[in-house]
Amino acid sequence: MSFALVAHAAPLFRNTGTLAGWSSVNREHRGSVNEVTNVTYEGGTALKMTQIHDASYGGRYHSEVMRTNVYRRGDTGFYGFAFRLQQDWQFQPQSYNIAQFIADFSDTGCDDYMPSSMVWISGNQLFTRVKQGTICNQKTVTFGNLATVSAGVWHKIVIQAKWASDGTGFYKLWFDGVKVLEQYNLNTTIADDRYFQFRVGLYANGWYDDGYMQGSQPNRSIWFDEIGVGTTFADADPAQW
Ligand SMILES: [Ca+2]
């Protein structure tokens, strides 16, 4: 007896804003990740991620939920979520990352956890990127000023990617249902076949990367809801499931 297993398809994943169902939850330093009922995009719960800057702390600032085995080279998939910045979010030039694909490359001797694509806010603008090359010779291609992000309202992100390193990849991003990025015939991941994780949350990477905090808002929160991964746009669109 044989089965036609679709061995390389990304598994379908959906989370309705609950702490249950994730491979892991990452709360660094004074950060928190909580399931809340008072602010939701849809249904009874959403996830509230908070990070707090501490000038005496030298580490990173992740408040993320993570799902393993979301893509590997050769896959094509859709990845989506809804997010909402706190009402009084102080827009600053520093990067606040809200989603990333990442894998552990410690065995290579060239890097440890390396994100391929990330999605972040700088000022009030949305950014994303792809990572090309190899783990030992990485090239980052950034796509900036894709959309204007407002505080205190829910926004939707959907990404479609064909993950390739032979020039046949594509990478698209929709913001609130509007396609704001469409790139074809490019490398969208590095030359490696291991599985990547998908994470959403508040990762205040600018605080760590720059070594200080710009502005005067050390306590920041972002809500997340309706995180989906699948093979169709509707699988990942927070409004369609
Ligand atoms: Ca929900």
Side-chain angles (χ1 to χ4, degrees), residues 89-106:
W89 180 270
Q90 185 182 89
F91 291 100
Q92 291 287 333
Q94 281 186 314
S95 172
Y96 292 91
N97 195 73
I98 59 174
Q100 58 179 332
F101 301 87
I102 188 168
D104 183 2
F105 288 88
S106 301

Side-chain angles (χ1 to χ4, degrees), residues 89 94-98 119-121 202-205 207 220:
W89 180 270
Q94 281 186 314
S95 172
Y96 292 91
N97 195 73
I98 59 174
V119 180
W120 68 95
I121 296 158
L202 170 53
Y203 168 31
N205 53 343
W207 294 346
R220 290 176 179 261

Side-chain angles (χ1 to χ4, degrees), residues 16-17 40-46 225-226:
T16 58
T40 74
Y41 171 81
E42 185 177 297
T45 64
D225 206 351
E226 303 289 296

Side-chain angles (χ1 to χ4, degrees), residues 15-18 36 39-47 154 224-227 241:
N15 183 280
T16 58
T18 63
V36 299
V39 177
T40 74
Y41 171 81
E42 185 177 297
T45 64
L47 293 171
W154 284 99
F224 290 83
D225 206 351
E226 303 289 296
I227 303 102
W241 58 271

Side-chain angles (χ1 to χ4, degrees), residues 14-220:
R14 286 177 172 175
N15 183 280
T16 58
T18 63
L19 282 171
W22 296 99
S23 305
S24 71
V25 180
N26 191 10
R27 302 173 175 92
E28 284 182 327
H29 199 47
R30 296 176 182 166
S32 60
V33 177
N34 291 309
E35 190 177 304
V36 299
T37 58
N38 60 330
V39 177
T40 74
Y41 171 81
E42 185 177 297
T45 64
L47 293 171
K48 181 182 182 182
M49 281 64 163
T50 297
Q51 267 297 342
I52 300 172
H53 186 260
D54 174 2
S56 67
Y57 165 69
R60 296 183 188 271
Y61 294 93
H62 291 92
S63 288
E64 293 179 318
V65 285
M66 180 273 281
R67 180 73 177 188
T68 56
N69 299 347
V70 167
Y71 90 79
R72 62 190 299 204
R73 185 168 62 156
D75 285 344
T76 299
F78 288 86
Y79 315 87
F81 59 95
F83 75 98
R84 181 187 185 277
L85 306 180
Q86 70 190 67
Q87 186 79 43
D88 64 345
W89 180 270
Q90 185 182 89
F91 291 100
Q92 291 287 333
Q94 281 186 314
S95 172
Y96 292 91
N97 195 73
I98 59 174
Q100 58 179 332
F101 301 87
I102 188 168
D104 183 2
F105 288 88
S106 301
D107 63 309
T108 65
C110 289
D111 208 338
D112 43 41
Y113 275 88
M114 192 230 34
S116 56
S117 285
M118 306 176 83
V119 180
W120 68 95
I121 296 158
S122 174
N124 66 358
Q125 293 296 300
L126 188 74
F127 286 70
T128 191
R129 75 178 204 186
V130 294
K131 183 63 78 75
Q132 305 173 337
T134 66
I135 192 62
C136 298
N137 185 17
Q138 301 171 25
K139 181 187 175 193
T140 302
V141 179
T142 298
F143 306 104
N145 302 303
L146 298 173
T148 299
V149 178
S150 300
V153 299
W154 284 99
H155 290 294
K156 291 191 311 178
I157 301 273
V158 176
I159 293 166
Q160 186 193 16
K162 179 187 176 189
W163 305 102
S165 61
D166 63 354
T168 66
F170 61 76
Y171 191 80
K172 308 174 189 180
L173 189 148
W174 288 260
F175 180 78
D176 292 344
V178 177
K179 189 190 290 175
V180 296
L181 178 66
E182 185 171 45
Q183 296 283 323
Y184 289 98
N185 301 315
L186 77 167
N187 292 339
T188 51
T189 196
I190 65 167
D192 192 279
D193 286 324
R194 75 192 67 199
Y195 272 109
F196 279 69
Q197 310 168 357
F198 183 49
R199 302 181 183 183
V200 299
L202 170 53
Y203 168 31
N205 53 343
W207 294 346
Y208 174 83
D209 292 342
D210 300 339
Y212 68 101
M213 182 195 74
Q214 292 183 359
S216 56
Q217 189 173 63
N219 191 327
R220 290 176 179 261

